[in-house]
Amino acid sequence: MLKKFIPAFEWILVYKKADLSGDMSAGLIVAIMLIPQGMAYAMLAGLPPVIGLYASTAPLLIYALFGTSRHLSVGPVAMVSLLVLTGVSSLADPGTDEYISLVLMLTFMIGVIQLLMGLFKLGFLVNFMSHAVISGFTSAAAIIIGLSQLKHLIGVNLEADKDVFSIVLETINRMSEINPITFGIGVISIGLLITLKKILKKTPAPLIVVILSILAVYYLELHHAGVNIVGDVPGGLPSLSIPALNLESFIVLLPIALTISFVGFMESIAMAKAIAAKEKYKVIPNRELTGLGLANIGTSFLSGYPVTGGFSRSAVNYQSGAKTPFATIVTAIFIILALIFFTQLFYYLPHAVLAAIIMVAVYSLIDVKEVKQLLKINLVDGSVWIVTFLATLIFGIVEGIISGIVYSLLVFVWRSAYPHVAELGYLQKEQVYKNIKRYSKVTIEQEVMIFRFDSSLFFANIRFYEEKLRDRLLDKPETKWVILDFSGVNTIDAVAIQSLDDIIHALSLDHDVTFFFSGVKGPVKDVLEKAEYGDSKYFSYLSINHALEGIKRICR
């Protein structure tokens, strides 16, 4: 019974001693990785760096209890951080008390949305966000994230912070103001992060760069030379915080809350399923929503901000030997210890280093290979990627993903309204019926037309079906018998049934033909019979061959 409500009991009750070493080492490695990342992503979200550490404690513990993935590493991520900044900065200035209060409210809203989606089993809704939309959005957002960190990398307080074109233009115009020491620290940090990642893959490169930069600033007193540093980082555990709910702010933040709920869940479930497939265990999407929802609700009461599963940290967690969610609990414990004992060590940490960590992390999110592959396979699918990418870059984060979703749904509607149809002929050697336009060696019955519709029938495409069928009958006036192959029809709605009956009646009179059904699937046949358009009204056969035999019997 407990397993139903708290999935953690599935692994706690059977925990093996042999898994402990792997979980401990993976938990420590992810914690070392998460500390600088959490601080960097909080800065990206317009929050004090310590809030990134707060968001890396309680949510991890909650998810470990209620999530179903054994390897997913939950915490702050770049994409969600940018969305937080985009949504909340329209209501308050980043870093202010009002801004932090609104972020807590947004976090609570996201948690409630995800929790309700999980409880009401609405995880399927994310299927309406195609992979092309997510890839295009992520690629554009990665560019926006990277360019938004330019001000920290060059040591210039740029006025533009979201419009990529304005950021680039202002940077060019203010090149004379660049702090060479800050810029040097940023460039060297980027170089070290990339080099260490390639040469020493298992080395916690961000932590090494953080330590070296702190030592450099401290001993060389670079903070007196205009290098911006983190400064005081409050120590101790996060205090209890009550999200202040406000109706006016709620209405403004709702679109971004929905966006983060969907995008965050998709990022989590994609990684969770990928690892689960390798390890041969099952991840339950609706329970994942519940786990993430509770994690976000929990962190909203403990001075955190929205979290989700991260690609890179989850991969590191898995590759470092994690066997169970206990590794995530170990990560949270180490970060709690860091909050209690080591926050003062981050005083001299340069903002340029945190910017470098963010830039290197998001670079891998720009997926050029994906759009090339989509365009190669299908131009329409490639156009979905391009539209989403450009809309996100030009109009903004929320507008971009909404544009992508709307465009992809329009493509889906268009494809549904104009599906593939085919006239079939018989391949003698293979003994199968195939499209006469694709197979030149098919045998075609002189007075028989076999017509297949490769889609479910509903109100939006039934007229297209009529048009194609009527055109083919005009091209083949000698036709006396029409076999409607329903093997590709999975469903049919009430409007389509009535329209189909009218079409058959009209074409029978206009062209003096008789109609037969073949290959009607069970669910479709059930609906036809309910509408009294079953075997009693039209001849219906199991297959095309059976229908042809029926025609021969009638002709005798």
Side-chain angles (χ1 to χ4, degrees):
M1 188 67 177
L2 283 173
K3 291 179 183 179
K4 184 178 179 181
F5 298 101
I6 305 176
F9 281 104
E10 292 183 6
W11 60 268
I12 290 174
L13 297 176
V14 293
Y15 192 81
K16 299 175 185 176
K17 189 177 179 180
D19 295 337
L20 184 60
S21 60
D23 285 342
M24 289 291 290
S25 62
L28 175 59
I29 291 169
V30 172
I32 291 169
M33 183 181 182
L34 182 54
I35 289 170
Q37 276 193 353
M39 297 175 72
Y41 294 153
M43 186 177 74
L44 171 61
L47 297 164
V50 72
I51 289 182
L53 298 181
Y54 293 160
S56 304
T57 54
L60 279 67
L61 298 172
I62 295 170
Y63 178 81
L65 294 175
F66 294 97
T68 58
S69 172
R70 300 175 195 169
H71 300 90
L72 192 68
S73 178
V74 171
V77 297
M79 196 64 60
V80 170
S81 300
L82 178 64
L83 287 168
V84 169
L85 178 67
T86 302
V88 184
S89 60
S90 62
L91 296 175
D93 293 330
T96 62
D97 290 341
E98 183 186 2
Y99 183 88
I100 294 170
S101 178
L102 288 168
V103 169
L104 293 175
M105 177 182 169
L106 175 64
T107 307
F108 180 75
M109 289 169 63
I110 293 164
V112 171
I113 291 168
Q114 291 180 328
L115 178 60
L116 290 176
M117 285 178 66
L119 293 176
F120 289 101
K121 302 186 185 304
L122 299 178
F124 70 91
L125 290 175
V126 298
N127 296 330
F128 289 95
M129 294 177 72
S130 77
H131 181 70
V133 169
I134 292 299
S135 178
F137 167 74
T138 302
S139 297
I143 293 173
I144 295 171
I145 291 169
L147 290 176
S148 72
Q149 297 306 298
L150 264 181
K151 60 184 178 183
H152 299 298
L153 196 74
I154 63 178
V156 177
N157 188 23
L158 301 175
E159 295 296 326
D161 59 349
K162 295 173 190 170
D163 185 340
V164 294
F165 305 104
S166 299
I167 292 171
V168 172
L169 187 62
E170 187 179 351
T171 302
I172 293 171
N173 291 334
R174 299 178 64 181
M175 285 185 70
S176 59
E177 300 176 37
I178 293 175
N179 185 311
I181 299 176
T182 299
F183 185 59
I185 290 172
V187 171
I188 292 170
S189 297
I190 290 173
L192 277 173
L193 287 167
I194 294 171
T195 304
L196 289 172
K197 189 177 180 181
K198 286 183 178 180
I199 298 175
L200 303 170
K201 294 183 178 180
K202 292 187 177 182
T203 302
L207 187 66
I208 291 173
V209 173
V210 164
I211 293 170
L212 290 175
S213 66
I214 290 172
L215 292 173
V217 171
Y218 177 74
Y219 284 108
L220 299 177
E221 297 185 348
L222 299 178
H223 54 295
H224 295 312
V227 175
N228 291 323
I229 58 175
V230 169
D232 288 316
V233 178
L237 298 177
S239 57
L240 184 66
S241 56
I242 308 296
L245 301 179
N246 176 284
L247 182 59
E248 186 179 342
S249 300
F250 174 85
I251 294 170
V252 175
L253 292 175
L254 185 58
I256 201 72
L258 290 168
T259 302
I260 293 174
S261 298
F262 281 102
V263 172
F265 174 61
M266 287 197 72
E267 186 171 345
S268 288
I269 199 67
M271 192 64 191
K273 282 187 173 182
I275 298 176
K278 291 181 180 179
E279 291 297 307
K280 296 179 174 56
Y281 67 87
K282 190 176 181 181
V283 169
I284 304 170
N286 289 313
R287 285 197 177 184
E288 284 297 292
L289 273 168
T290 302
L292 289 172
L294 290 171
N296 278 307
I297 291 172
T299 198
S300 71
F301 285 93
L302 291 167
S303 305
Y305 81 108
V307 298
T308 194
F311 282 122
S312 58
R313 288 195 305 272
S314 297
V316 169
N317 191 42
Y318 174 57
Q319 292 163 5
S320 299
K323 301 295 181 184
T324 73
F326 184 66
T328 299
I329 294 173
V330 172
T331 298
I333 291 170
F334 277 117
I335 292 175
I336 288 169
L337 292 174
L339 276 168
I340 296 172
F341 299 109
F342 304 117
T343 53
Q344 67 275 14
L345 298 178
F346 298 112
Y347 182 92
Y348 292 100
L349 176 60
H351 282 161
V353 170
L354 294 178
I357 291 171
I358 292 170
M359 286 180 162
V360 172
V362 300
Y363 174 76
S364 61
L365 298 177
I366 303 172
D367 198 349
V368 178
K369 288 183 180 178
E370 177 71 13
V371 67
K372 287 182 178 179
Q373 183 73 357
L374 288 172
L375 290 171
K376 179 182 177 182
I377 297 172
N378 189 297
L379 287 174
V380 176
D381 289 333
S383 73
V384 173
W385 192 102
I386 292 170
V387 166
T388 308
F389 178 82
L390 292 177
T392 304
L393 275 186
I394 296 168
F395 302 114
I397 294 292
V398 178
E399 295 84 355
I401 196 165
I402 290 174
S403 299
I405 292 170
V406 170
Y407 182 71
S408 67
L409 290 177
L410 287 174
V411 168
F412 172 76
V413 171
W414 178 80
R415 283 173 170 166
S416 300
Y418 301 97
H420 181 261
V421 296
E423 182 182 349
L424 306 181
Y426 187 65
L427 279 173
Q428 198 77 34
K429 184 178 178 182
E430 290 80 4
Q431 297 184 343
V432 292
Y433 291 90
K434 289 291 182 181
N435 188 343
I436 63 172
K437 291 183 178 179
R438 288 181 176 269
Y439 296 86
S440 57
K441 296 181 180 179
V442 294
T443 302
I444 303 172
E445 297 281 348
Q446 191 66 22
E447 297 181 339
V448 179
M449 180 192 298
I450 306 168
F451 199 78
R452 190 184 71 208
F453 196 69
D454 295 329
S455 171
S456 293
L457 284 171
F458 66 110
F459 66 92
N461 63 17
I462 190 67
R463 291 304 163 192
F464 174 77
Y465 183 74
E466 176 188 8
E467 180 187 324
K468 291 296 180 181
L469 185 55
R470 190 181 290 276
D471 289 346
R472 193 64 195 116
L473 285 172
L474 289 172
D475 293 340
K476 194 177 177 182
E478 69 275 14
T479 303
K480 292 183 178 180
W481 317 92
V482 177
I483 299 173
L484 300 178
D485 179 14
F486 264 45
S487 62
V489 179
N490 293 320
T491 60
I492 186 169
D493 70 7
V495 175
I497 291 174
Q498 183 62 54
S499 299
L500 183 63
D501 186 52
D502 295 340
I503 292 166
I504 290 174
H505 181 70
L507 293 178
S508 297
L509 293 175
D510 294 346
H511 298 274
D512 191 24
V513 294
T514 303
F515 284 84
F516 300 83
F517 287 78
S518 76
V520 180
K521 294 179 179 178
V524 176
K525 191 171 184 179
D526 292 342
V527 177
L528 289 171
E529 288 176 349
K530 284 181 182 178
E532 297 182 355
Y533 296 118
D535 294 348
S536 59
K537 189 163 186 178
Y538 298 116
F539 295 104
S540 182
Y541 294 93
L542 290 174
S543 67
I544 295 171
N545 285 331
H546 285 90
L548 290 171
E549 288 295 326
I551 292 171
K552 289 177 182 177
R553 284 196 297 270
I554 293 171
C555 291
R556 291 183 196 138

